[in-house]
Amino acid sequence: MNVIRCAQNPVIRAEDVKPSRPDFKVLGAFNAGVAKYEGETILLLRVAEAPVLDRPGEVLVPRLNEAGTEVIVERYEETDPRYDFTDSRFVAVDGQVIMLTSLSHLRVARSKDGVHFDIDPQPALFPENALEAWGIEDPRITQIGDTYYITYSSASIRGVGAGLAETKDFVTFKRHGLMLAPENKDVMLFPEKIDGKYYTLHRPVPKSFGAPEMWIAESPDLLHWGNHRFLMGLSEQGWDSGRMGGGAVPIRTERGWLVLYHGADAKHRYCMGAALLDLEDPGKVIARSTRPFMEPEADYEVNGFFGGVVFSCGALLIGDTVRMYYGAADEVMAVADIPLDDIFSTLS
Amino acid sequence: MNVIRCAQNPVIRAEDVKPSRPDFKVLGAFNAGVAKYEGETILLLRVAEAPVLDRPGEVLVPRLNEAGTEVIVERYEETDPRYDFTDSRFVAVDGQVIMLTSLSHLRVARSKDGVHFDIDPQPALFPENALEAWGIEDPRITQIGDTYYITYSSASIRGVGAGLAETKDFVTFKRHGLMLAPENKDVMLFPEKIDGKYYTLHRPVPKSFGAPEMWIAESPDLLHWGNHRFLMGLSEQGWDSGRMGGGAVPIRTERGWLVLYHGADAKHRYCMGAALLDLEDPGKVIARSTRPFMEPEADYEVNGFFGGVVFSCGALLIGDTVRMYYGAADEVMAVADIPLDDIFSTLS
């Protein structure tokens, strides 16, 4: 494999991002959607924040209030026996997650060279209703005409669903509510109609039986979705046998729709692989990576908020090279160039 | 409460239904959708079947083959240490359901008086693709114009999603694939457009966090769904604090859309309650039962395949009385008449 990591990696770090309020700190700026707009490269960052801990021995939980109108910070004693604080990312009771200890929003960063970014001082999209009360995460951007559609994870006590928003200028945004009900993540719209229909990839997570696997659905208008079909599932063993989901927005190539997707094994090591879908019927998988084209190897990928993760939400095809933007270790943004043929070489 | 159970209950029993093939037995005929068609009452029964056990010590698993084209029966030794056969309804590994021991299809029954039914000797809708490989269950019927839309649970190794079909005569049926992805059950379409949109209730079951609760979504065409909103959730304590989901198709009343729904407590005792939704904005809950209007009390409700269950998938409003058809104990069909005012008296 010929993965050329950018020498400037990580191109965006947590400390590069101004918190949304003075009593919050930025834990990570990662898993960004990517788009080209007026000659610039736009990243729509997931910015994860937590309240600054001002009293030792406490656990702070930031979220919207019940009405979904205002950020509140709840305080818990870390010795409180009613709660399980073992995993610092959430609070659990009886093995069930009941609160998160961070709150994510989406932030725009702009670059002329695709490597050096100016990061907006203010959020672009901030949680603003009860279904976003635990944060909005992991955006993907799909350009259709002069409109950019943004799909993102919308988290709350009701579960994680797929939010949809649109913008024409990355300044004003219009929300369209949840396009897919919980539990669903890793939703990415195809950039054009195929045989008169819009398509999206998605990754439902059923509870009673079934696994977190990739599905495809159709729409007449991008807002309403139906004819959900199973697309591809966990492998029997190997790099994508534990978890998987779509990554970058599908890219049209001569050989088919190229989907860069993430997979993890039982040890939660997140790698990137690829699938090729039929150009005329994207519900048909032509080929799939038997090995990842990229694994967490660089220091900023192996170590961080959640180490051992490379996770892309967007990539650009430049000539015969894929420029993949990706979150590393759930903390920073990085970029790598990978020849298309090298990605194809992992397929079978 | 003034729940008048039909003297002929159960009006349909498992032994009244001819198996779909000679080597299968019928375990239950229950959870039927209901409609009026050409002056008759139509029930679309869920018929659960299992292979007749011909060799003691075996567990038989009926399902479609991988291609979804043919029913196969797999045989397991009940002493096989790789599998957990503790719950006779399914086979588990590491606490995860991996197979069901019955296969359900949908069957039409017809009645002139709403009590005495003639049951078709053949299935109306039988599992026919990979997403239905573990069976199709719990149909709801919504008449819109001269078309009857049928929503049902579509079960497979990929989870349980919401299938959609339509018929004009209950003889030929047309499928429309999955209208909602896994995990989702208890899906019921409203019988008319409201402010230019179709609406459906649904009950997603998220895994990572969240609970099995009731949602509402919108559609321009009944096939594609969006703007998913949370509708109502588990109560803090009481009869619907453990599980809940929509039951009968919403009925228009002067006070609002009447939704008969099922709830269960931690002991898995399924009762029926009601909610009233705003006629103009069905996403708005006006009132809800603080106590069930019906609990499992009759012998055929308390005892059976899964005792302690009353579970309605359809009801008719006749004057000021609700004629509710319901599955009892996951085995038989029963009917009860309940004055509308008695149902309203449980609301607050």
Side-chain angles (χ1 to χ4, degrees):
Chain A
M1 291 301 305
N2 198 13
V3 174
I4 303 161
R5 287 172 171 82
C6 178
Q8 281 75 29
N9 276 351
V11 294
I12 296 177
R13 296 165 302 168
E15 53 265 42
D16 300 332
V17 180
K18 186 168 181 282
S20 66
R21 40 190 271 178
D23 57 336
F24 276 19
K25 67 183 173 210
V26 173
L27 302 178
F30 57 115
N31 297 2
V34 61
K36 294 295 284 186
Y37 171 68
E38 291 192 344
E40 292 191 320
T41 302
I42 300 277
L43 292 184
L44 190 59
L45 298 162
R46 169 181 174 188
V47 175
E49 298 181 298
V52 175
L53 196 63
D54 50 358
R55 297 183 211 154
E58 286 191 341
V59 174
L60 304 182
V61 172
R63 62 172 178 83
L64 298 194
N65 61 1
E66 294 263 323
T69 53
E70 180 184 2
V71 175
I72 57 174
V73 176
E74 292 179 322
R75 294 172 176 275
Y76 298 87
E77 296 293 330
E78 65 184 13
T79 53
D80 191 328
R82 293 173 300 174
Y83 302 106
D84 177 357
F85 300 112
T86 311
D87 189 318
S88 65
R89 297 173 299 170
F90 54 78
V91 180
V93 170
D94 295 334
Q96 179 88 359
V97 173
I98 62 157
M99 292 177 269
L100 302 182
T101 53
S102 64
L103 183 70
S104 290
H105 67 264
L106 308 184
R107 186 87 64 104
V108 169
R110 295 175 170 81
S111 174
K112 297 218 184 298
D113 64 4
V115 172
H116 300 87
F117 284 88
D118 291 325
I119 305 165
D120 281 3
Q122 297 294 333
L125 287 160
F126 198 85
E128 67 170 32
N129 62 61
L131 294 177
E132 300 178 349
W134 292 7
I136 56 179
E137 307 177 352
D138 301 353
R140 275 80 173 184
I141 306 171
T142 300
Q143 181 179 0
I144 301 177
D146 64 349
T147 304
Y148 296 83
Y149 293 91
I150 300 156
T151 56
Y152 58 91
S153 298
S154 174
S156 77
I157 187 72
R158 306 303 172 193
V160 185
L164 177 67
E166 67 171 85
T167 185
K168 288 187 193 295
D169 56 11
F170 291 97
V171 175
T172 57
F173 297 83
K174 182 180 174 188
R175 275 176 169 81
H176 293 292
L178 286 197
M179 61 177 261
L180 297 171
E183 181 166 344
N184 217 318
K185 275 187 175 184
D186 302 327
V187 173
M188 53 222 60
L189 308 174
F190 284 72
E192 58 187 81
K193 277 191 174 179
I194 301 164
D195 197 20
K197 297 172 196 159
Y198 294 108
Y199 285 85
T200 194
L201 302 177
H202 62 96
R203 208 283 308 271
V205 187
K207 181 166 184 175
S208 304
F209 42 84
E213 300 181 317
M214 288 171 65
W215 288 60
I216 190 165
E218 304 171 4
S219 175
D221 57 9
L222 296 167
L223 305 179
H224 305 90
W225 296 90
N227 196 19
H228 296 270
R229 289 179 287 162
F230 173 76
L231 184 69
M232 50 187 268
L234 299 174
S235 60
E236 292 276 319
Q237 49 190 9
W239 72 279
D240 55 355
S241 58
R243 296 188 74 84
M244 69 178 313
V249 169
I251 296 169
R252 178 183 268 281
T253 74
E254 285 185 4
R255 293 182 53 180
W257 289 104
L258 176 66
V259 176
L260 309 184
Y261 73 96
H262 65 267
D265 57 17
K267 290 174 185 159
H268 303 294
R269 188 166 174 271
Y270 280 73
C271 301
M272 291 297 302
L276 269 184
L277 310 181
D278 190 287
L279 286 174
E280 309 297 319
D281 174 10
K284 193 173 150 195
V285 180
I286 298 170
R288 174 176 174 179
S289 291
T290 51
R291 61 182 198 278
F293 67 80
M294 187 176 186
E295 303 180 45
E297 289 170 349
D299 176 62
Y300 50 88
E301 296 161 357
V302 173
N303 301 302
F305 184 78
F306 192 83
V309 172
V310 291
F311 188 103
S312 176
C313 295
L316 303 170
L317 184 61
I318 303 171
D320 291 329
T321 299
V322 172
R323 172 160 287 188
M324 186 179 83
Y325 291 86
Y326 63 100
D330 277 8
E331 183 171 324
V332 299
M333 276 306 297
V335 57
D337 288 342
I338 311 134
L340 203 48
D341 281 345
D342 282 67
I343 294 175
F344 286 157
S345 76
T346 68
L347 302 171
S348 83
Chain B
M1 292 301 304
N2 199 13
V3 174
I4 302 161
R5 287 172 172 81
C6 178
Q8 280 76 29
N9 276 351
V11 295
I12 296 177
R13 297 165 302 170
E15 53 264 43
D16 299 332
V17 180
K18 187 170 179 282
S20 66
R21 40 191 270 179
D23 57 336
F24 276 19
K25 66 184 174 207
V26 173
L27 301 177
F30 57 114
N31 297 3
V34 60
K36 293 294 285 187
Y37 172 69
E38 293 193 342
E40 292 191 320
T41 301
I42 300 275
L43 292 183
L44 191 59
L45 299 161
R46 170 181 173 188
V47 175
E49 298 180 297
V52 175
L53 196 62
D54 50 358
R55 296 183 213 153
E58 285 191 341
V59 173
L60 304 182
V61 171
R63 61 171 179 84
L64 298 195
N65 61 0
E66 295 263 323
T69 52
E70 180 186 1
V71 175
I72 57 174
V73 175
E74 292 179 323
R75 295 172 175 274
Y76 298 87
E77 295 294 328
E78 65 184 13
T79 53
D80 191 328
R82 293 173 300 173
Y83 303 105
D84 177 357
F85 299 110
T86 312
D87 190 318
S88 65
R89 296 174 298 170
F90 54 79
V91 180
V93 170
D94 296 334
Q96 179 87 358
V97 172
I98 61 158
M99 293 177 268
L100 303 181
T101 53
S102 64
L103 183 71
S104 289
H105 67 265
L106 308 184
R107 187 85 66 102
V108 169
R110 296 174 169 83
S111 174
K112 297 216 183 301
D113 62 5
V115 173
H116 300 88
F117 284 88
D118 291 324
I119 304 165
D120 281 3
Q122 297 293 333
L125 287 159
F126 198 86
E128 68 171 30
N129 61 62
L131 294 177
E132 300 178 347
W134 292 8
I136 56 179
E137 306 178 352
D138 301 354
R140 275 80 173 186
I141 306 171
T142 300
Q143 182 179 359
I144 300 177
D146 64 349
T147 304
Y148 296 83
Y149 293 91
I150 300 156
T151 56
Y152 57 91
S153 298
S154 174
S156 77
I157 187 73
R158 307 303 172 192
V160 185
L164 177 67
E166 66 171 87
T167 183
K168 288 188 192 296
D169 57 11
F170 291 96
V171 175
T172 58
F173 298 83
K174 182 181 174 188
R175 274 176 169 82
H176 293 292
L178 286 197
M179 60 176 263
L180 297 170
E183 182 167 344
N184 217 316
K185 276 187 174 183
D186 301 327
V187 173
M188 53 221 61
L189 308 174
F190 284 72
E192 58 188 80
K193 276 191 175 179
I194 301 164
D195 197 19
K197 297 171 196 157
Y198 293 108
Y199 284 85
T200 193
L201 301 177
H202 62 98
R203 207 283 308 271
V205 188
K207 181 167 184 175
S208 303
F209 42 84
E213 301 181 318
M214 288 171 65
W215 288 60
I216 191 165
E218 305 171 4
S219 174
D221 58 9
L222 296 168
L223 305 180
H224 305 90
W225 295 90
N227 195 21
H228 296 269
R229 290 179 286 162
F230 173 77
L231 184 70
M232 51 188 268
L234 299 175
S235 59
E236 291 276 318
Q237 48 190 10
W239 72 279
D240 54 356
S241 58
R243 296 189 73 83
M244 70 180 311
V249 170
I251 296 169
R252 179 185 266 281
T253 73
E254 284 184 5
R255 293 183 53 181
W257 289 106
L258 176 67
V259 176
L260 309 184
Y261 73 95
H262 65 267
D265 56 17
K267 290 174 186 161
H268 303 295
R269 187 165 174 272
Y270 280 73
C271 300
M272 291 298 301
L276 270 184
L277 309 181
D278 190 286
L279 286 175
E280 310 297 319
D281 174 11
K284 193 173 150 196
V285 180
I286 298 170
R288 174 175 173 180
S289 292
T290 52
R291 62 183 198 279
F293 66 79
M294 187 175 186
E295 303 181 46
E297 289 169 349
D299 175 63
Y300 50 87
E301 296 162 359
V302 173
N303 300 303
F305 185 78
F306 192 84
V309 173
V310 291
F311 188 104
S312 175
C313 294
L316 304 170
L317 184 62
I318 303 171
D320 292 328
T321 299
V322 172
R323 172 159 287 186
M324 187 179 83
Y325 291 87
Y326 62 101
D330 279 6
E331 183 171 326
V332 300
M333 277 306 296
V335 57
D337 288 342
I338 311 136
L340 203 48
D341 281 343
D342 283 66
I343 294 176
F344 286 157
S345 76
T346 67
L347 300 172
S348 85

